[in-house]
Amino acid sequence: DAIFDVDTPYPLRGIKEGFVNIVSLPGYSLQQANTALSYYAENIFKHRERSVRKKDPTALFQQPVVLAIEEAHEFISEGKESRAKYWIKRIAAEGRKFGCSICLVSQRPRQLDRSTISQISSWAVLRMINNEDKRTIASCSEYLSDEAIDSLSTMNRGEIMLLGEWVAVPTVTKI
């Protein structure tokens, strides 16, 4: 609740480096969640940029940061603009050079902004049956062959396909 607490002077100071920090937003409207996400994404990006570009020891985040966004389709939908989408898109495009990355989680890839997800360099894809979802992933990832796309619908529960820079070839493994 501190993210919307007017008595909290600087919510970013509550984030601890080297730990998993969770900002849980159930119960907040989409507009409130969008505001919170844009605040965190913008400020984390700017602090990492200052830390790397200017070697600023006062920047809050001296270590690389991964911002994981659940239900990403709510924040970076194709055709809808918002501050959160702007900052997520910017992190996807520029964040790697500053040690600021994103992890987008969605059960509806077809609703995600194509230009944002085309910046993703590593993918973890679970079983996928919807053909439009498969086409979306295929159009945004150079790592998916037609054969790999077809195999997405035959994967078992608990299997995941890893693609992209973190593996030499598409790899299916259990989680």
Side-chain angles (χ1 to χ4, degrees):
D1 287 338
I3 60 171
F4 296 117
D5 184 350
V6 293
D7 295 325
T8 302
Y10 200 51
L12 285 179
R13 294 206 187 278
I15 296 178
K16 295 175 181 61
E17 279 195 279
F19 292 87
V20 173
N21 294 265
I22 298 172
V23 178
S24 183
L25 300 172
Y28 292 104
S29 71
L30 186 55
Q31 183 177 2
Q32 289 171 317
N34 202 306
T35 299
L37 178 57
S38 67
Y39 171 82
Y40 281 101
E42 175 182 4
N43 285 286
I44 288 169
F45 177 83
K46 285 180 175 180
H47 277 275
R48 284 300 303 149
E49 183 179 31
R50 274 185 24 218
S51 175
V52 171
R53 187 172 274 167
K54 298 178 181 172
K55 307 286 188 244
D56 183 350
T58 65
L60 287 180
F61 305 104
Q62 297 296 318
Q63 311 259 331
V65 175
V66 176
L67 187 61
I69 303 164
E70 282 273 0
E71 303 295 338
H73 56 273
E74 295 286 355
F75 303 104
I76 58 164
S77 294
E78 186 75 30
K80 291 183 186 175
E81 298 305 317
S82 70
R83 271 190 74 69
K85 181 178 177 180
Y86 170 83
W87 284 104
I88 292 167
K89 200 176 208 174
R90 183 144 180 217
I91 292 169
E94 300 177 43
R96 287 183 288 274
K97 62 186 166 201
F98 302 120
C100 186
S101 302
I102 56 170
C103 171
L104 302 176
V105 181
S106 178
Q107 293 181 15
R108 299 181 186 108
R110 66 189 170 276
Q111 293 178 6
L112 294 169
D113 178 69
R114 301 298 191 282
S115 67
T116 303
I117 62 174
S118 68
Q119 298 292 320
I120 305 298
S121 60
S122 295
W123 295 75
V125 183
L126 297 168
R127 184 171 187 240
M128 194 177 295
I129 296 172
N130 185 291
N131 286 328
E132 194 175 343
D133 286 335
K134 290 192 275 189
R135 279 193 299 276
T136 298
I137 297 296
S139 70
C140 294
S141 173
E142 62 195 63
Y143 305 103
L144 263 177
S145 66
D146 290 339
E147 184 180 312
I149 292 167
D150 291 341
S151 71
L152 290 173
S153 55
T154 62
M155 289 171 37
N156 296 314
R157 179 180 219 137
E159 289 182 330
I160 190 165
M161 183 181 291
L162 304 175
L163 311 155
E165 292 180 5
W166 56 10
V167 291
V169 294
T171 305
V172 176
T173 187
K174 286 221 176 255
I175 55 171

